[in-house]
Amino acid sequence: MFQLILDNFRKKIDLTKQEEDLIVSRLETQTHKAKTILVKPGDEAHFTFFVLKGILRSYTIDQNGVEHILSFATPGWWLGDMYSYLGNNPAIMYIDVIEDCEVLILTRKDCEELYIEVPKLERFFRILTENSLISHQQRVLDKMALTAEERYEKFTKKFPEVVQCLPQKHIASYIGVTPEFFSKMKSRLLRKK
């Protein structure tokens, strides 16, 4: 069960067996059914999820009731409300389950203690945070500079394993278009092929 997360750590840092056991001892395993809301605005979300199985998404809902998807998390990905997790604030977004999932949970408190007990872990999460910052910056720039078709193409390259199992409205939200526009755009793209 813990092989995926240990492999995730090993991509960036070398851990001893003792360090791996210590980290694993601080993780909580949970399973959730599709459509379960794991975090909502106002929650104390001082933890992060590591996905073992299934798909999660994070999103906000604007004053008009429109969802804006920030990210998806598939097996091997981390997801959390960083405003709450890092800032010790109430959550500002939703995290829910798109496809039945199994996740590991690491609380901020346990993570801070592990930074002292396994200092290499702080390096791992610094690298993860830097990569996330780069990815989010690129997404903002893409939104300003790329067409919807180009953003969709980037999405399919980033999440090839989930394109077929995600509702079309979620993909539309992620790339920043309405479901109606997305449907027309996909029809256009299919005709081009």
Side-chain angles (χ1 to χ4, degrees):
M1 173 193 317
F2 297 106
Q3 193 60 46
L4 186 59
I5 195 167
L6 293 174
D7 289 345
N8 190 260
F9 289 131
R10 290 178 189 127
K11 289 178 185 174
K12 309 274 190 272
I13 57 174
D14 293 321
L15 296 169
T16 66
K17 175 74 169 107
Q18 181 181 1
E19 290 169 330
E20 288 177 353
D21 291 344
L22 186 58
I23 293 167
V24 165
S25 74
R26 300 294 182 94
L27 300 171
E28 177 188 342
T29 305
Q30 292 183 350
T31 57
H32 299 280
K33 294 286 183 194
K35 299 184 182 177
T36 303
I37 296 175
L38 303 176
V39 174
K40 62 185 180 311
D43 287 354
E44 298 297 320
H46 310 304
F47 50 84
T48 187
F49 298 101
F50 180 81
V51 180
L52 295 172
K53 184 180 107 179
I55 305 170
L56 304 180
R57 71 175 171 144
S58 64
Y59 62 100
T60 62
I61 300 176
D62 68 21
Q63 65 271 19
N64 298 318
V66 177
E67 289 182 6
H68 302 277
I69 296 178
L70 289 105
S71 59
F72 296 101
T74 58
W77 287 57
W78 292 87
L79 185 65
D81 182 316
M82 291 299 107
Y83 182 77
S84 184
Y85 180 76
L86 296 173
N88 203 31
N89 300 305
I92 57 172
M93 66 179 165
Y94 293 88
I95 296 176
D96 71 7
V97 181
I98 294 177
E99 184 177 280
D100 291 359
C101 73
E102 184 174 3
V103 295
L104 297 174
I105 294 178
L106 179 62
T107 67
R108 180 69 177 169
K109 179 182 178 291
D110 282 333
C111 190
E112 288 293 332
E113 290 171 4
L114 284 168
Y115 286 165
I116 294 165
E117 297 164 348
V118 185
K120 293 178 256 186
L121 199 59
E122 192 164 20
R123 179 176 189 274
F124 172 83
F125 281 109
R126 177 186 53 79
I127 293 168
L128 207 64
T129 302
E130 289 171 354
N131 289 340
S132 177
L133 180 61
I134 291 166
S135 178
H136 285 291
Q137 179 178 303
Q138 187 60 54
R139 186 150 175 237
V140 169
L141 293 172
D142 289 350
K143 179 91 171 168
M144 291 187 294
L146 300 180
T147 67
E149 288 180 8
E150 291 167 329
R151 292 194 307 272
Y152 175 64
E153 184 179 320
K154 280 188 95 164
F155 174 83
T156 60
K157 288 180 181 166
K158 184 173 182 178
F159 294 104
E161 69 282 3
V162 297
V163 171
Q164 299 306 318
C165 57
L166 286 177
Q168 299 296 295
K169 67 180 183 176
H170 290 343
I171 298 172
S173 174
Y174 183 86
I175 66 170
V177 298
T178 65
E180 297 78 18
F181 179 88
F182 183 71
S183 179
K184 290 175 186 171
M185 181 189 79
K186 277 196 69 178
S187 293
R188 244 187 354 263
L189 290 171
L190 286 172
R191 284 192 303 270
K192 284 182 182 178
K193 288 185 177 184

